[in-house]
Amino acid sequence: MADVEQNGGTRNLTFGEARARAGFRVAAASGLAGGPIELEFFAEIVGGGMRYLFVTADRARYRPGDFSFAATFDAKPLSDPFADVPDLGGPAGVVEIAAGRPWHQPLVLNQFVRLEDTLDLLAPGASGRLVIDCRRLLWLAADEDAALAPATDAPLVEVRLALELRRDDAQLAALVERFVAEVRDGPPEQRERPLKLLLSLRAPLAVERWRTLVDHPDPVVAGRVRQSLPSGGR
């Protein structure tokens, strides 16, 4: 594993005659234990040429496919919230990457790691260090047909990130309230990000608030809230 990189890391790769860069970076983080952390995966062609990338979604776990994250908080491992959910596949497609047209994929780390468990590892007001190992196999194919059958020896893009998280329950509650207000009262075209972040927060104080959106007048919003409510092994 590479050295820890605070905000993002890049790897240089070669696919035939095409040179590429790919990696992970922190896009936005509240800095709060139990709060949302937004990452971004990126891939870009260096110089000239064009390549194709196969991308998938994991419909059973409500998150992008093809990614793996392992995290520790003050050296204590944090688990996958959907570790017991089988992989049933999901929507997939091919995207084109060319010089000047990179691929950027937003990711919410809370969908892959139980960041809510950091609250139990800190006293109020205390801080700790989150270390995240981010991984994705990357095959950039020369044409769309080849992209649909990724190589078994595709290179692994692997980056280790680190962040400091502080426990402040009042600030976390205020952040949740802001997101709830944006979903309930904000313009429909601006709902997706706060809704996605809200539904990834599984701390009891967060769930208690976002579950009130189950009566949202938009049936799509209400349905996603119902699907995300804690149940069974989730």
Side-chain angles (χ1 to χ4, degrees), residues 8-212:
T10 302
R11 300 294 173 260
N12 296 315
L13 304 164
T14 301
F15 299 89
E17 296 180 355
R19 292 183 298 119
R21 281 195 296 255
F24 294 85
R25 63 169 63 100
V26 177
S30 66
L32 298 171
I37 295 177
E38 296 173 84
L39 304 179
E40 180 185 73
F41 174 77
F42 59 91
E44 58 189 12
I45 298 297
V46 180
M50 171 186 305
R51 288 277 151 167
Y52 296 87
L53 174 65
F54 186 59
V55 296
T56 68
D58 185 336
R59 71 171 182 268
R61 300 181 179 99
Y62 307 105
R63 65 194 191 191
D66 301 318
F67 292 95
S68 171
F69 296 92
T72 60
F73 188 68
D74 283 349
K76 298 178 179 64
L78 302 176
S79 62
D80 182 341
F82 301 102
D84 298 330
V85 177
D87 183 356
L88 302 179
V94 175
V95 297
E96 179 185 295
I97 304 173
R101 296 201 304 274
W103 169 250
H104 295 274
Q105 184 164 4
L107 303 160
V108 179
L109 183 62
N110 308 63
Q111 295 177 332
F112 298 86
V113 174
R114 291 186 59 88
L115 294 177
E116 65 272 22
D117 291 349
T118 61
L119 289 165
D120 295 330
L121 300 174
L122 288 174
S127 298
R129 190 169 190 249
L130 176 71
V131 177
I132 315 145
D133 291 336
C134 313
R135 303 181 182 95
R136 190 199 197 281
L137 290 172
L138 184 68
W139 175 246
L140 296 183
D143 57 62
E144 293 188 57
D145 290 339
L148 295 173
T152 56
D153 60 347
L156 177 66
V157 178
E158 191 172 19
V159 173
R160 175 171 285 180
L161 305 175
L163 300 109
E164 291 292 318
L165 300 182
R166 177 174 54 87
R167 181 171 176 182
D168 187 326
D169 295 358
Q171 282 200 20
L172 179 59
L175 182 63
V176 170
E177 290 292 347
R178 193 187 88 200
F179 288 152
V180 168
E182 289 175 1
V183 174
R184 188 176 292 282
D185 305 319
E189 65 274 12
Q190 296 179 17
R191 277 183 195 146
E192 179 56 31
R193 177 177 175 268
L195 179 62
K196 181 168 63 173
L197 295 179
L198 273 175
L199 300 185
S200 75
L201 302 182
R202 289 171 297 272
L205 70 86
V207 176
E208 180 181 0
R209 288 300 303 132
W210 63 248
R211 73 186 303 146
T212 62

